Amino acid sequence: MKLSVVIPVMNEEENIAPLFEAVRKALKGIDYELIMVDDGSTDRTVERMKELADERTKIVVFNRNFGQTTAMAAGIEEARGDLIATLDGDLQNDPEDIPMMIEKLEKEGWDLVAGRRKKRQDGMFLRKIPSRIANAIIRRTTGVYLHDYGCTLKVFKRDVAKNLGLYGELHRFIPVLAKMYGAKITEVDVRHHPRIHGESKYGIGRTFRVISDLLLMLFMQKYKTKPMHLFGTLGVPMLFVGLLIDAYLFLLKLFGESIGQRPLLILGVMLTLGGIQLITTGFIAELIMRTYFESQNKKPYTIKEIYTGGAKKEKESDETEA
């Protein structure tokens, strides 16, 4: 199959009919499947999807709300296409952009083509400004230079999508996860429409979750396979400084000075204990990392291709003799 289109939805009953129509119109002539993942809707979203489903449609229904990332991961797990596209179910993304993104991916050899909402149809203060700030921070801290991390419209090669490792609320960090996998990434301008039906599931409160997830991404990006480099680098200097302070105060005590009321004593003890805790946390994180990879027979690397020169030459020689 050429393409799998994954769309997470929640309480979008009024958008289902125009969404189905838009996808079918945009992908006419492409061998595709449509995977709709219902993330715990409480309205008639599931009923509307079942009414409109055809032989190309697969509907995955959660028994409760698990979040957009989990819904997207479930849809990708079910996908059978060589390429996988993701988009929102609120009709703000335009399925008409998918063929153009597929063409760019195939002609230019990209592994992931991400959408960039050129004329974003959202509120300025609650959506656009916080998004621009978040995008700038993510670019600078991760080194993955895209302009719009929040756009759900993306097209992936199958192996990239299947190996993203989506958990929690990491869907907004898909480009970073893909880069960690080794994917070649680019972005293109796509259309963005105002929401007509239903209510947005996003609010200003997600800012703090984005910051938390960003810290996790930075850890995964730099220290996933070497956590001791983080915890040891912080812990050893703390322990060393703490021991120096404790030794200095011990000498003062030997010479008869009172140290019990000195703030320096508290600082020395805190640095010593903090350093020990960070170092032991590093040891534990190393053991967890090794267990993660070895228990599942995983490798801390991905191989794009294995080329055996001798085998090719031997084959050419056999063809020449024949």
Side-chain angles (χ1 to χ4, degrees):
M1 182 171 292
K2 173 78 170 180
L3 176 69
S4 296
V5 181
V6 176
I7 308 179
V9 293
M10 187 183 77
N11 293 339
E12 298 285 1
E13 63 173 300
E14 293 178 308
N15 286 319
I16 296 302
L19 178 61
F20 270 69
E21 182 181 352
V23 170
R24 289 165 179 164
K25 179 182 177 183
L27 303 183
K28 188 176 181 180
I30 297 177
D31 183 19
Y32 77 94
E33 64 175 350
L34 176 61
I35 302 174
M36 306 289 292
V37 184
D38 180 75
D39 188 22
S41 293
T42 56
D43 60 3
R44 296 184 65 253
T45 295
V46 175
E47 295 176 41
R48 295 291 294 139
M49 288 193 295
K50 289 180 178 179
E51 291 170 1
L52 296 168
D54 58 14
E55 68 279 358
R56 293 183 180 272
T57 307
K58 179 183 290 187
I59 301 171
V60 179
V61 182
F62 287 170
N63 62 346
R64 65 174 178 86
N65 176 252
F66 287 93
Q68 185 176 355
T69 300
T70 305
M72 197 174 292
I76 291 172
E77 179 68 24
E78 295 292 329
R80 297 175 295 140
D82 294 329
L83 301 176
I84 297 174
T86 58
L87 69 155
D88 280 330
D90 56 11
L91 287 174
Q92 289 194 268
N93 295 142
D94 196 328
E96 291 279 355
D97 289 314
I98 293 177
M100 173 270 295
M101 297 171 76
I102 292 175
E103 183 179 3
K104 185 174 183 66
L105 183 144
E106 292 180 335
K107 282 190 174 181
E108 300 180 14
W110 300 102
D111 298 311
L112 188 160
V113 177
R116 176 185 181 182
R117 293 166 289 187
K118 187 176 181 181
K119 296 180 180 179
R120 186 172 175 181
Q121 304 296 315
D122 284 320
M124 177 62 71
F125 294 102
L126 294 180
R127 298 292 296 276
K128 288 185 180 179
I129 292 178
S131 180
R132 287 174 185 171
I133 294 172
N135 287 329
I137 293 173
I138 295 171
R139 279 196 301 272
R140 290 181 179 274
T141 54
T142 65
V144 180
Y145 293 96
L146 295 183
H147 293 85
D148 190 356
Y149 287 86
C151 182
T152 305
L153 181 55
K154 296 178 177 70
V155 175
F156 315 76
K157 285 185 177 178
R158 176 189 176 89
D159 66 305
V160 175
K162 294 282 187 180
N163 287 282
L164 287 174
L166 289 174
Y167 299 97
E169 294 190 12
L170 297 183
H171 60 275
R172 57 180 65 90
F173 292 99
I174 282 177
V176 181
L177 293 169
K179 196 72 172 181
M180 289 169 58
Y181 177 73
K184 292 171 60 180
I185 303 171
T186 190
E187 63 182 344
V188 293
D189 289 338
V190 296
R191 285 164 283 196
H192 191 247
H193 305 294
R195 175 184 272 273
I196 299 175
H197 304 294
E199 297 179 357
S200 173
K201 313 302 186 297
Y202 302 105
I204 193 68
R206 66 178 176 153
T207 303
F208 299 104
R209 296 197 296 271
V210 172
I211 294 172
S212 300
D213 289 337
L214 176 59
L215 293 175
L216 173 62
M217 280 293 94
L218 293 176
F219 175 80
M220 294 286 285
Q221 195 177 34
K222 297 181 180 180
Y223 301 107
K224 178 182 178 180
T225 58
K226 46 187 179 182
M228 192 61 191
H229 286 198
L230 172 63
F231 296 107
T233 301
L234 295 174
V236 171
M238 284 180 61
L239 178 61
F240 181 72
V241 173
L243 291 175
L244 281 180
I245 294 173
D246 294 341
Y248 168 71
L249 293 174
F250 178 70
L251 290 174
L252 291 182
K253 185 66 176 177
L254 288 180
F255 285 103
E257 292 192 29
S258 175
I259 62 172
Q261 303 299 319
R262 290 195 173 199
L264 194 61
L265 176 62
I266 298 174
L267 177 62
V269 172
M270 289 180 63
L271 287 174
T272 302
L273 294 177
I276 292 172
Q277 286 183 329
L278 283 171
I279 292 170
T280 53
T281 299
F283 290 145
I284 294 170
E286 285 280 341
L287 292 174
I288 292 173
M289 180 271 296
R290 293 171 189 273
T291 301
Y292 168 77
F293 283 108
E294 294 173 9
S295 65
Q296 303 179 70
N297 223 9
K298 289 180 178 286
K299 304 295 182 184
Y301 55 83
T302 54
I303 297 174
K304 182 177 182 179
E305 181 183 8
I306 296 178
Y307 174 77
T308 305
K312 182 178 179 182
K313 290 178 182 178
E314 184 177 339
K315 183 179 179 181
E316 290 175 349
S317 177
D318 292 343
E319 291 175 351
T320 301
E321 291 176 4

